[in-house]
């Protein structure tokens, strides 16, 4: 009887004093889910899991699950860039993955994530867009990169980036040719053309608690309490592709340096996991 | 490309016009030919759905120069909100709404930093209590590896990487940072240092403007 009431108290404590609850754990150098501060959750990657798409992947980081599917369509290029195809990333956060998302048009977080993914693809020139050209000024490939979050438990951006990049690496397109006589694009049955990525970026997110404790790979609970996150994206040669820090207390360059070191180590882990998933 | 008329580490002329629109607080902030108007309403009544019992709800609306707001503008809203949320003493205004509306008036690059500075000034103009002041500066690293601060639109188009920083006034810690493009760690911290110096200059400008308005 006594035991039961004690267990109840811890849960109540978490609900009414979430920050203090987390602080007590951090003081003991451990996190509520049993990880140490610098420990990542188990990550798994599954490639080409959806056969109806041109490229797909499923990524799990702990309980966070993201499914990515890439569908190719033919479109006309922009007038200013007649040789370039398009990449259109979009992430869907529906109520199925967490009660904090509402049905209907994409919410703020989903839009911010889609924009950031798009920025990453563009500014880091992950794919040479001219490789998507079928016929100059007439037909190019457009790749719709749809990411669906199945289960939301924090660190969605890292999962999305891994999902998007691995799905892009296993994209298979048909061989397409433009027929002058009929004015149509003809494609082969067989999907044989693969994409050559110029860069393989992976992101690492670290939450900052009380302006001093770095919690790598935060869960949803930790995200909601810390309000302060640093995301760092590296590519395979150790070049930075993006840094993103929002909210919370002001932080110092030392924190950023620490985060960069964490991100570099984690990059190796992720590329190992992705390699072994092929 | 015509070379820029000012030194690489010099920001454009700043001009601030407080009380630009007739609201609780407002300001027009200009970096050369980039201008953003920000108006602040509040603390005012909040919709029951958005009400927070222990602090104010902060709502940011970002309107682009032309067309309808897209994902980019939503991202700006998210950035501005999370930046000001950390400086406003929102626990002094429980169950209320502080609404911030930013409208781009002229776009010649560096819009996000302009908007953050406009918001800071408008919040002060509205008399919202803050524990700190956020100032933002941006810079680019061009193809030759030179760092150009407060970039213009044509410079951003040819940039190798683009960095926007927001600093807090009291500790000069980093409140917000967005860096895109390809860059090295050394370049990043170089940009960081240069922007930090420029942020001090902006704070001085803001202080001078306030003193001028009060006398």
């Amino acid at each position: 009887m006594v035991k039961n009431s004690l267990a109840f108290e811890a849960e109540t404590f978490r609900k009414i004093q979430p920050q203090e609850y987390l602080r007590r754990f951090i003081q003991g150098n451990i996190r509520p889910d049993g990880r140490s501060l610098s420990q990542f959750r188990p990550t798994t990657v599954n490639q080409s899991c959806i056969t109806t798409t041109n490229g797909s992947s499923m990524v799990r980081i702990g309980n966070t699950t993201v499914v990515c599917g890439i569908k190719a369509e033919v479109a006309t290029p922009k007038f200013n860039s007649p040789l370039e195809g398009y990449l259109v990333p979009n992430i869907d956060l529906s109520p199925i993955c967490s009660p904090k998302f509402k049905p209907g048009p994409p919410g703020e977080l989903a839009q911010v994530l889609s924009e950031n993914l798009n920025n990453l693809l563009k500014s880091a020139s992950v794919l040479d867009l001219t490789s998507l050209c079928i016929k100059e000024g007439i037909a190019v490939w457009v790749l719709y990169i749809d990411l669906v979050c199945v289960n939301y438990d924090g660190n969605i951006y890292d999962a999305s980036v891994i999902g998007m990049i691995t799905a892009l690496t296993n994209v298979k397109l048909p061989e397409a040719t433009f027929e002058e006589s009929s004015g149509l694009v003809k494609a082969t049955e067989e999907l044989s053309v693969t994409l050559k990525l110029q860069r393989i970026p992976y992101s690492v997110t670290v939450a900052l608690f009380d302006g001093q404790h770095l919690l790598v790979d935060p869960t949803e609970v930790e995200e909601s309490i810390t309000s302060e996150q640093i995301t760092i994206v590296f590519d395979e040669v150790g070049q930075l592709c993006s840094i993103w820090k929002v909210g919370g207390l002001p932080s110092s360059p030392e924190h950023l340096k620490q985060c960069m070191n964490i991100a570099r180590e984690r990059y190796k882990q992720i590329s190992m996991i992705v390699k072994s998933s092929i | 490309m015509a070379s820029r008329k000012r030194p690489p580490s010099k920001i454009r002329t700043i001009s601030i016009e407080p009380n630009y629109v007739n609201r609780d607080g407002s300001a027009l902030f200009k970096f050369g030919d980039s201008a953003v108007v920000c108006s602040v309403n509040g603390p005012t009544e909040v919709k029951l759905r958005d009400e927070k019992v222990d602090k104010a709800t902060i709502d940011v609306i970002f309107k682009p120069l032309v067309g309808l707001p897209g994902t980019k503008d939503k991202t700006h809203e998210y950035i501005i909100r999370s930046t000001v949320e950390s400086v406003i003493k929102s626990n002094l205004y429980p169950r209320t709404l502080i609404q911030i509306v930013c409208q781009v008036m002229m776009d010649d690059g560096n819009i996000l930093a302009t908007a953050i500075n406009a918001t800071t000034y408008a919040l002060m103009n509205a008399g919202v209590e803050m524990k700190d002041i956020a100032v933002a500066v941006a810079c680019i690293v061009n193809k030759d590896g030179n760092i150009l601060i407060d970039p213009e639109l044509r410079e951003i188009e040819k940039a190798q990487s683009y960095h926007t920083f927001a600093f807090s006034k009291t500790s000069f810690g980093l409140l917000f940072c967005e860096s895109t493009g390809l860059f090295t760690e050394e370049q990043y911290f170089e940009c960081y240092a240069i922007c930090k110096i420029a942020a001090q200059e902006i704070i001085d400008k803001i202080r001078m403007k306030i003193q001028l308005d009060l006398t």
Side-chain angles (χ1 to χ4, degrees):
Chain A
M1 202 58 204
V2 176
K3 241 184 185 173
N4 269 344
S5 74
L6 272 177
F8 177 67
E9 273 172 24
E11 185 57 22
T12 320
F13 182 42
R14 185 182 72 81
K15 286 222 164 113
I16 54 177
Q17 288 287 346
Q19 282 209 315
E20 195 52 42
Y21 177 81
L22 184 60
R23 199 167 288 131
R24 294 279 171 87
F25 274 101
I26 303 299
Q27 278 162 2
N29 258 326
I30 195 154
R31 291 152 76 171
D33 58 0
R35 284 187 287 160
S36 72
L37 300 193
S38 57
Q39 196 180 348
F40 290 87
R41 288 174 287 177
T43 308
T44 54
V45 179
N46 194 340
Q47 296 204 41
S48 309
C49 44
I50 309 170
T51 49
T52 49
T53 60
N54 293 86
S56 62
S57 70
M58 191 181 88
V59 177
R60 297 191 65 147
I61 298 180
N63 286 327
T64 297
T65 312
V66 175
V67 179
C68 178
I70 297 180
K71 197 74 194 151
E73 279 178 26
V74 176
T76 45
K78 278 193 195 120
F79 186 77
N80 290 335
S81 45
L83 280 168
E84 291 181 1
Y86 313 89
L87 292 172
V88 189
N90 183 50
I91 182 156
D92 187 22
L93 299 171
S94 60
I96 200 169
C97 63
S98 166
K100 72 176 187 183
F101 304 117
K102 301 278 169 281
E108 188 184 58
L109 184 62
Q111 292 195 38
V112 170
L113 285 168
S114 300
E115 172 71 17
N116 280 352
L117 290 173
N118 192 29
N119 261 346
L120 177 64
L121 286 175
K122 248 198 283 183
S123 65
S125 54
V126 170
L127 181 69
D128 179 15
L129 292 177
T130 53
S131 66
L132 297 172
C133 183
I134 299 168
K135 173 82 185 170
E136 184 181 344
I138 295 172
V140 290
W141 285 113
V142 44
L143 300 181
Y144 292 103
I145 307 169
D146 284 307
L147 294 133
V148 179
C149 181
V150 185
N151 195 1
Y152 185 93
D153 192 17
N155 207 0
I156 181 83
Y157 186 69
D158 289 10
S160 308
V161 172
I162 301 173
M164 179 173 76
I165 297 298
T166 45
L168 273 173
T169 51
N170 66 48
V171 161
K172 284 202 170 63
L173 297 175
E175 237 172 282
T177 43
F178 179 72
E179 268 188 15
E180 292 283 352
S181 54
S182 60
L184 292 171
V185 172
K186 289 272 159 74
T188 52
E189 276 293 301
E190 193 190 3
L191 303 175
S192 55
V193 181
T194 54
L195 298 174
K196 197 170 176 302
L197 298 197
Q198 294 177 319
R199 200 159 277 112
I200 309 277
Y202 292 127
S203 89
V204 175
T205 300
V206 179
L208 200 54
F209 181 62
D210 275 355
Q212 50 178 333
H213 302 289
L214 297 171
L215 313 181
V216 302
D217 185 17
T219 62
E220 188 190 358
V221 177
E222 289 163 349
E223 267 181 5
S224 62
I225 298 169
T226 53
S227 83
E228 195 177 359
Q229 281 167 44
I230 303 170
T231 298
I232 294 181
V233 184
F234 270 109
D235 72 358
E236 72 280 2
V237 292
Q239 186 162 228
L240 285 153
C241 302
S242 164
I243 296 181
W244 164 266
K245 186 236 178 239
V246 283
L249 299 160
S251 62
S252 63
E254 282 70 46
H255 286 136
L256 285 164
K257 278 193 183 132
Q258 268 175 293
C259 292
M260 283 178 191
N261 291 337
I262 294 170
R264 260 193 217 103
E265 283 305 307
R266 173 68 171 165
Y267 188 94
K268 292 174 201 156
Q269 270 184 29
I270 299 174
S271 53
M272 289 274 278
I273 293 164
V274 173
K275 258 186 204 130
S276 62
S277 71
I278 301 169
Chain B
M1 181 179 130
S3 61
R4 63 157 47 190
K5 292 186 185 84
R6 57 201 156 96
S9 59
K10 180 135 180 63
I11 52 175
R12 286 174 282 182
T13 318
I14 294 172
S15 82
I16 306 166
E17 275 182 54
N19 301 313
Y20 193 79
V21 286
N22 194 11
R23 288 287 173 262
D24 289 339
S26 67
L28 172 83
F29 193 96
K30 279 165 92 176
F31 268 128
D33 283 334
S34 285
V36 175
V37 174
C38 176
S39 85
V40 173
N41 282 309
T44 177
E45 198 182 351
V46 62
K47 259 195 253 163
L48 199 62
R49 195 183 62 174
D50 303 326
E51 190 181 83
K52 290 176 187 162
V53 288
D54 58 341
K55 56 183 174 185
T57 304
I58 296 167
D59 185 29
V60 178
I61 299 166
F62 190 93
K63 302 255 186 199
L65 185 61
V66 282
L68 292 169
T71 50
K72 191 170 190 162
D73 307 296
K74 269 273 178 247
T75 311
H76 286 167
E77 287 177 7
Y78 177 79
I79 290 166
I80 295 170
R81 180 163 51 77
S82 42
T83 307
V84 298
E85 254 175 5
S86 51
V87 295
I88 293 176
K89 286 186 176 172
S90 54
N91 53 345
L92 292 179
Y93 312 102
R95 295 169 191 261
T96 58
L97 172 74
I98 296 172
Q99 190 178 49
I100 297 165
V101 185
C102 291
Q103 167 71 57
V104 181
M105 302 294 274
M106 290 192 284
D107 185 356
D108 191 14
N110 204 0
I111 280 301
L112 181 56
T114 317
I116 292 174
N117 293 334
T119 309
T120 298
Y121 205 96
L123 281 168
M124 288 194 284
N125 190 244
V128 175
E129 284 220 37
M130 294 192 279
K131 55 184 171 224
D132 215 325
I133 287 171
V135 282
V137 201
C139 71
I140 58 157
V141 179
N142 69 8
K143 295 268 191 296
D144 310 323
N146 299 325
I147 297 171
L148 307 177
I149 206 160
D150 186 18
E152 291 159 28
L153 215 48
R154 63 191 167 85
E155 290 170 331
I156 294 171
E157 275 166 21
K158 292 179 179 161
Q160 177 79 20
S161 61
Y162 182 19
H163 312 263
T164 307
F165 299 92
F167 296 95
S168 70
K169 180 192 155 276
T170 46
S171 63
F172 264 95
L174 187 65
L175 278 172
F176 152 76
C177 153
E178 183 190 40
S179 297
T180 54
L182 298 167
F183 50 99
T184 62
E185 197 176 325
E186 291 77 42
Q187 279 178 331
Y188 178 79
F189 286 109
E190 225 174 295
C191 292
Y192 182 97
I194 290 177
C195 285
K196 205 167 163 175
I197 296 166
Q200 182 61 55
E201 196 181 322
I202 297 169
I203 285 175
D204 293 344
K205 277 269 159 58
I206 289 176
R207 180 178 288 129
M208 265 163 56
K209 184 69 191 167
I210 292 172
Q211 278 172 348
L212 206 70
D213 286 347
L214 289 177
T215 49

